[in-house]
Amino acid sequence: EPEVTQTPSHQVTQMGQEVILRCVPISNHLYFYWYRQILGQKVEFLVSFYNNEISEKSEIFDDQFSVERPDGSNFTLKIRSTKLEDSAMYFCASSSSFGPNYGYTFGSGTRLTVV
Amino acid sequence: GENVEQHPSTLSVQEGDSAVIKCTYSDSASNYFPWYKQELGKRPQLIIDIRSNVGEKKDQRIAVTLNKTAKHFSLHITETQPEDSAVYFCAPQGGSYIPTFGRGTSLIVHP
């Protein structure tokens, strides 16, 4: 079964540093997403990406965050000037279509710890 | 935005019992209703979904029922097993096409 791959699985960074989280979506999927989950809490939408541009973003996704699809396979989330409260599990997801009636395939996540 | 509530937040059952988790939503434009299962430390995985033109869908021991008039849908698990222990999230999709996840229900199945 096709998988969404995320690297690294764990990332520890010092407050104020920049991190880049990487994702390889399923190859024939067209829509890509980043979600985050603070420990013990619900999954929160950050951003959706289609056709090399952001299609939707949440209030969480401010200027500290950016996404990029640098080549035909990778999809990255950059977090600048990390803060303690950025510590969370970050999930990448992809889907073959956008809109209602389609579920997501999630990656295994990157656990980000800001110290 | 969509307001999503899940009940209960925690559900403890004995192996073999049934479990029901309810999700209420606010956006009347919602027309896709999935349930995700997240085992401890793992990714959410889609386990069942239903579309607005259907009232019920079954897949072996799990089923989802939808009441669009009342704006809620429920996950039903029969003959629960210890491996069903996980956090379950509903994530209705409305007009924005971005799902809003509920806060999750922690299901504990005691052997």
Side-chain angles (χ1 to χ4, degrees):
Chain A
E1 187 175 334
E3 286 190 348
V4 175
T5 304
Q6 286 187 244
T7 56
S9 56
H10 293 89
Q11 174 90 49
V12 180
T13 189
Q14 291 207 325
M15 194 166 51
Q17 296 296 305
E18 174 182 288
V19 295
I20 298 177
L21 311 183
R22 292 183 167 81
C23 170
V24 179
I26 293 173
S27 61
N28 63 346
H29 282 187
L30 303 174
Y31 300 90
F32 316 117
Y33 313 86
W34 283 102
Y35 282 79
R36 84 172 181 192
Q37 187 178 33
I38 295 170
L39 186 64
Q41 298 188 23
K42 68 176 179 178
V43 178
E44 299 177 291
F45 169 72
L46 293 178
V47 65
S48 62
F49 192 87
Y50 170 69
N51 201 26
N52 289 320
E53 61 182 28
I54 291 172
S55 47
E56 287 203 45
K57 60 181 181 179
S58 71
E59 292 176 351
I60 302 169
F61 194 88
D62 59 20
D63 292 343
Q64 186 192 3
F65 296 87
S66 61
V67 290
E68 194 176 39
R69 189 160 162 81
D71 53 43
S73 60
N74 289 287
F75 177 51
T76 63
L77 173 69
K78 182 187 290 186
I79 309 174
R80 290 178 282 272
S81 301
T82 49
K83 299 172 284 193
L84 295 177
E85 53 265 39
D86 294 328
S87 296
M89 182 74 92
Y90 288 80
F91 291 104
C92 173
S94 68
S95 65
S96 57
S97 293
F98 187 70
N101 303 329
Y102 295 98
Y104 295 177
T105 301
F106 283 89
S108 54
T110 294
R111 180 167 297 284
L112 176 65
T113 303
V114 182
V115 298
Chain B
E2 172 99 90
N3 290 320
V4 177
E5 297 285 339
Q6 268 184 251
H7 295 282
S9 56
T10 305
L11 181 57
S12 184
V13 300
Q14 288 296 127
E15 183 175 0
D17 287 351
S18 295
V20 181
I21 303 169
K22 185 176 178 180
C23 180
T24 60
Y25 60 94
S26 61
D27 187 352
S28 56
S30 295
N31 51 14
Y32 176 63
F33 308 94
W35 283 96
Y36 290 85
K37 175 184 180 182
Q38 186 177 29
E39 296 177 14
L40 189 63
K42 296 191 176 180
R43 76 191 81 185
Q45 289 191 294
L46 178 68
I47 56 170
I48 197 166
D49 56 14
I50 195 168
R51 290 156 177 81
S52 59
N53 57 343
V54 177
E56 182 177 2
K57 180 178 177 181
K58 284 184 180 178
D59 183 2
Q60 299 182 350
R61 293 187 299 108
I62 62 172
V64 54
T65 57
L66 171 64
N67 184 329
K68 278 212 81 178
T69 303
K71 289 192 262 186
H72 63 73
F73 63 110
S74 297
L75 175 69
H76 304 254
I77 306 174
T78 59
E79 300 172 33
T80 52
Q81 300 168 3
E83 52 264 38
D84 295 329
S85 296
V87 179
Y88 292 82
F89 293 96
C90 63
Q93 282 178 223
S96 75
Y97 299 163
I98 300 296
T100 300
F101 281 76
R103 292 193 173 276
T105 296
S106 179
L107 174 64
I108 303 165
V109 181
H110 299 280

